[in-house]
Amino acid sequence: MRGAGPVIETRLKHLEAHLEQENPVLLTTVQSFRELDAVAYRMGLFGPDQSFATQIPWWPLISILGTFSAGKSTFINHYLGSKLQRSGNQAVDDKFTVLCFSNQSTTHALPGVALDSDPRFPFYKVSGEIEKVAAGEGSRIDAYLQLKTSPSPALRGKILIDSPGFDADAQRTSTLKITDHIIDLSDLVLVFFDARHPEPGAMRDTLDHLVSKTINRQDSGKFLYILNQIDTTAREDNPEEVVAAWQRAMGDRGLTAGRFFAIYNDEAANPIPNEALRRRFESKRDADLADIHERMEQVEIERAYRIVGSLEKTARRFGDRIVPALNELIARWRKRTLIGDAIAAVLIVGAFIAITSRLGQWNGLQLQAGWWDSLTASPMRIYFTALVAYLIWLAVHYGVRKLAAKSLVGAAERMGQKLGIRGSLAAAFRANTRPWRSIFSRQPAGWGRRSRRRIQRVLEDADRYVQDLNDRFTNPSGNVPLDLAATGLVEPDDESPLEPAPEKRPAETN
């Protein structure tokens, strides 16, 4: 059985060392991911250089999407308190930019390979995914990604991703692939639209991809839809109608979750002469910005729940997707093998009868030939003749089953991509077609009692992790936790609403 290679093992140990100081609950989830890795190795789904723990970002992740000139970079610069991102009315950045904190006083721009090779970032090994959808583009990872560092305290403990303008790249398959990838991994997604384009219909493709494709997601609540540069509508007769038009456009696409905000930046704003109108715009903007910033500060908590949720989802995919997919592929392989065996048997028997008939070696239904009489002259010769025939048939059978397996490898790869299975479903399928595996096996290779127990244990642990997180961030009773009270750092209430006050004993008399 294969296991984690030295590179993956080293990375997991570094991750555990980091989480030991930051979040003990998440530290224990790494061991659970190791359990899932062990099942994936047994089934042939993973190679030694793969791990479920390296396929998710462990840092809180906020992605910022939207159209060109929607004010994404201006918003980021204002949030960071420094002009890290270039801004303007034209396309100024055509790459996905990952922004992270650095203790160095100067900022640095690093190439995309810095992200593609580091499992802590959300773009680990993404070059391979790009290569699958656009041949030759995987080697051009620096054309798609860059990493920027900043000493801004606002970035401490989280990662921001600034996307290129969505509408201009609508036809670029690789860019859409990356966009969908970061949406899946993000704890919070800010979707920006430009209020200076008051006709939502002009942004139909953008709305379809960034709105219609997100409304049915289980995590649709992590999307915030932001109509930026709303100050440009101050001169309209009814500026509220501009906001209403965008809300209707999103409602037409079925948007029922996610919040809608209207903001603008003071530094880039148009002057609003009407004092009352200006105060109304500022009040709305300040309230919405406060809500947005508050959600951005909460991503660390959401990150913890996301990782536990990813652990549970990954564990359930074995029984819900991986095993059924393998069973379907194995059934198709078995059927093709049996049909191939039948065809091969008919061809062999037909060729034998045709050749011997042509040589005139049949007398009715009886074969009369010197070589045949020699092979059947004694029981020992009959035994060896049958053994040789059996070995020849085995060679034919294994040739047929190998061809049948090869014919399904492409289908296995497509099925794995369609189902979103991490790892190689094709490799797991090939593990079931090895020579020592029977075509009538009742379950996929590596999927035995031990693997099922491991999956069940991980699911039980995931529930416990959620409870641990709830205990850390919530306290419905309002009582001081026992462990804190025992330290003496916090004094318990004199009278707890859930516990009766101790009875007052009468004073003792001498």
Side-chain angles (χ1 to χ4, degrees), residues 28 61 64 80 89 135 170 179 186 203 256 303 367 385 389 395 417:
T28 56
L61 182 61
I64 301 174
L80 299 181
N89 293 329
T179 300
S186 295
M203 300 295 176
T256 58
R303 180 273 305 257
L367 180 63
T385 299
Q417 293 178 4

Side-chain angles (χ1 to χ4, degrees), residues 145-161:
L145 303 173
Q146 63 179 338
L147 172 64
K148 285 187 177 181
T149 64
S150 169
S152 171
L155 272 179
R156 191 185 296 272
K158 65 176 70 69
I159 294 175
L160 267 61
I161 300 180

Side-chain angles (χ1 to χ4, degrees), residues 329 405-417 426 429-430:
L329 290 167
K406 279 187 175 181
S407 69
L408 288 170
V409 170
E413 291 177 347
R414 291 189 295 271
M415 186 181 295
Q417 293 178 4
F429 169 65
R430 284 194 294 267

Side-chain angles (χ1 to χ4, degrees), residues 39-117:
V39 177
Y41 295 138
R42 289 177 61 86
M43 297 182 68
L45 194 69
F46 273 1
D49 60 341
Q50 293 175 287
S51 169
F52 287 114
T54 64
Q55 296 181 357
I56 59 173
W58 288 83
W59 288 335
L61 182 61
I62 302 172
S63 60
I64 301 174
L65 311 177
T67 59
F68 277 125
S69 73
K72 302 186 302 295
S73 297
T74 301
F75 173 84
I76 291 174
N77 291 338
H78 180 264
Y79 178 73
L80 299 181
S82 63
K83 293 186 177 181
L84 183 64
Q85 291 292 84
R86 293 180 297 167
S87 60
N89 293 329
Q90 302 299 320
V92 295
D93 234 333
D94 59 351
K95 300 178 183 180
F96 288 89
T97 303
V98 175
L99 311 172
C100 73
F101 177 79
S102 171
N103 286 317
Q104 299 185 17
S105 58
T106 57
T107 62
H108 297 281
L110 307 177
V113 68
L115 300 167
D116 188 56
S117 302

Side-chain angles (χ1 to χ4, degrees), residues 233-245 277 280-281:
T233 67
R235 299 180 184 276
E236 303 287 338
D237 292 336
N238 187 7
E240 286 77 11
E241 182 58 29
V242 176
V243 177
L277 185 62
R280 188 174 60 170
F281 268 72

